[in-house]
Amino acid sequence: MRLEETEEAMNNYYTAAEAIRKLKIPRSTFYHLIKQGEIPEGVIVPLRKQALYPKVEVDKLAEERARILTELEQSPERLAFMLPNRDDLVQLVDIDRMVFHEETLIEPEEQMARFAYSPEAIHVLKDKLTNTVVGGVTISPLKEEVLEKLIKLEIDETQVKPEDYRPYVAGHPQDCYVIGIIARPGLAEKYYASRLLRAALHYLVELLGRGVVIRRIYTVATTEDGNKLAQDLGFTLLPGEWEGEYEDFRRPYVLDFETTQSKSKLIKSYVKQKINRERRRKRYEKQARKSIN
């Protein structure tokens, strides 16, 4: 193939980076779609080391993504943040299987067992129209010694037993741990992740209304995408050398709601709701005293 023909062929292809920007999906999802056959395997042309992907196929997927997002945005009530049943958890494990190693998966029965100790430990984001789980988050208070081992990387999430979970309780601030947060890989992954995070924040505010105050949220990032998400949400990397068994791919973070100078939008939103709730409580107490007198 002559150089001119090679350059002409290039006009019909995207590099991986160009395709990812066109589709607006994470790099990991791009390669997942290739594995699933939704994007053709890349081709190598002379004088080029990078694989190339046909524009016509990528552009079709970009149009499909736009159509899906338009439908979801026009019917936001389709996606519900709820406590899962067993079938939902089976779907959630299937999503985990797309992303994580098989040995790290926690089966539905063990996940169900957590509810005896922390009834609200797991929530899923579900498309009610298709009855499809599109994401999920597991966040809960834990035994203090278990939480400490997690953030010191002495154990990982697969070693947390159901009895290590603790319920949300009113009356005193609690620390929580994010066992996992995941969105279904695909064209709408970023949209699902965004809706999942907004719903989780709304849930924390609901807990405030019940008198449950969260002091700190801990998590451990296990991938580069996880690192970026934690940082984007305002989590702070915990100091330390992290010479535990899992140090090569695990980084512990904390989101401290008692940090008054934080620039995190998540912290600012939560603190604002907390202040407003406290003002309402004091106003109600004042009105109650007046009515008694």
Side-chain angles (χ1 to χ4, degrees):
M1 183 180 288
R2 297 195 310 272
L3 178 61
E4 311 90 75
E5 293 174 332
T6 299
E7 293 302 322
E8 184 178 350
M10 282 289 294
N11 293 329
N12 297 319
Y13 290 88
Y14 289 121
T15 64
E18 290 170 339
I20 289 167
R21 285 197 297 270
K22 180 71 176 180
L23 294 171
K24 300 178 182 178
I25 57 176
R27 177 174 291 273
S28 58
T29 301
F30 176 73
Y31 289 106
H32 171 75
L33 292 176
I34 293 174
K35 185 178 178 181
Q36 296 297 112
E38 296 187 47
I39 296 176
E41 291 282 350
V43 298
I44 304 293
V45 299
L47 306 180
R48 295 278 178 173
K49 294 182 179 180
Q50 290 180 311
L52 301 175
Y53 303 87
K55 283 187 176 181
V56 62
E57 298 296 335
V58 173
D59 289 348
K60 282 181 182 178
L61 284 176
E63 292 173 2
E64 175 66 8
R65 179 182 185 276
R67 183 192 66 78
I68 293 171
L69 296 189
T70 298
E71 287 184 359
L72 290 170
E73 288 168 354
Q74 289 177 345
S75 304
E77 70 281 354
R78 272 181 59 176
L79 299 181
F81 189 71
M82 62 178 67
L83 295 172
N85 56 37
R86 188 187 181 283
D87 289 340
D88 295 335
L89 291 176
V90 170
Q91 291 192 55
L92 194 59
V93 172
D94 286 340
I95 296 174
D96 287 338
R97 191 170 280 111
M98 297 177 194
V99 179
F100 300 115
H101 298 295
E102 189 75 25
E103 60 269 19
T104 66
L105 301 181
I106 300 173
E107 294 301 324
E109 287 72 17
E110 185 175 350
Q111 294 189 35
M112 290 286 291
R114 299 169 177 171
F115 293 133
Y117 302 90
S118 182
E120 300 170 79
I122 308 172
H123 286 79
V124 295
L125 188 68
K126 191 170 182 178
D127 186 335
K128 295 186 292 183
L129 182 64
T130 61
N131 199 36
T132 302
V133 172
V134 298
V137 57
T138 302
I139 176 172
S140 175
L142 298 172
K143 287 182 179 178
E144 186 175 341
E145 61 270 24
V146 174
L147 177 58
E148 184 175 355
K149 287 181 179 179
L150 282 166
I151 62 177
K152 287 184 176 180
L153 306 185
E154 295 174 2
I155 62 173
D156 72 2
E157 292 82 2
T158 63
Q159 294 167 277
V160 180
K161 300 180 178 65
E163 57 268 27
D164 294 331
Y165 285 75
R166 289 292 178 264
Y168 292 104
V169 295
H172 67 276
Q174 290 179 280
D175 293 339
C176 295
Y177 186 85
V178 178
I179 294 285
I181 180 167
I182 193 168
R184 181 177 291 275
L187 297 175
E189 180 178 359
K190 284 190 175 180
Y191 180 82
Y192 293 146
S194 175
R195 285 291 301 270
L196 184 62
L197 291 172
R198 291 203 303 269
L201 175 59
H202 182 71
Y203 170 69
L204 293 179
V205 173
E206 284 184 356
L207 288 176
L208 268 178
R210 291 157 42 187
V212 176
V213 176
I214 305 302
R215 182 174 55 182
R216 288 182 288 264
I217 298 178
Y218 293 92
T219 193
V220 172
T222 60
T223 64
E224 286 303 319
D225 286 343
N227 273 320
K228 185 177 185 303
L229 177 60
Q231 292 164 11
D232 289 346
L233 291 174
F235 279 77
T236 300
L237 183 65
L238 290 170
E241 296 298 326
W242 307 123
E243 296 178 351
E245 181 181 353
Y246 306 97
E247 77 278 7
D248 289 341
F249 57 95
R250 295 175 66 80
R251 295 292 181 270
Y253 285 88
V254 63
L255 188 69
D256 190 343
F257 289 114
E258 296 184 343
T259 302
T260 57
Q261 303 302 318
S262 175
K263 296 180 180 179
S264 165
K265 292 181 179 179
L266 183 58
I267 290 179
K268 287 181 178 179
S269 179
Y270 184 82
V271 170
K272 180 180 178 180
Q273 295 291 339
K274 184 179 177 182
I275 291 173
N276 289 340
R277 175 183 173 275
E278 185 64 17
R279 286 174 178 170
R280 288 194 299 270
R281 184 186 65 80
K282 289 181 179 179
R283 185 168 63 249
Y284 294 151
E285 288 179 352
K286 185 177 180 180
Q287 292 173 348
R289 286 196 298 269
K290 284 183 179 180
S291 63
I292 293 175
N293 296 331

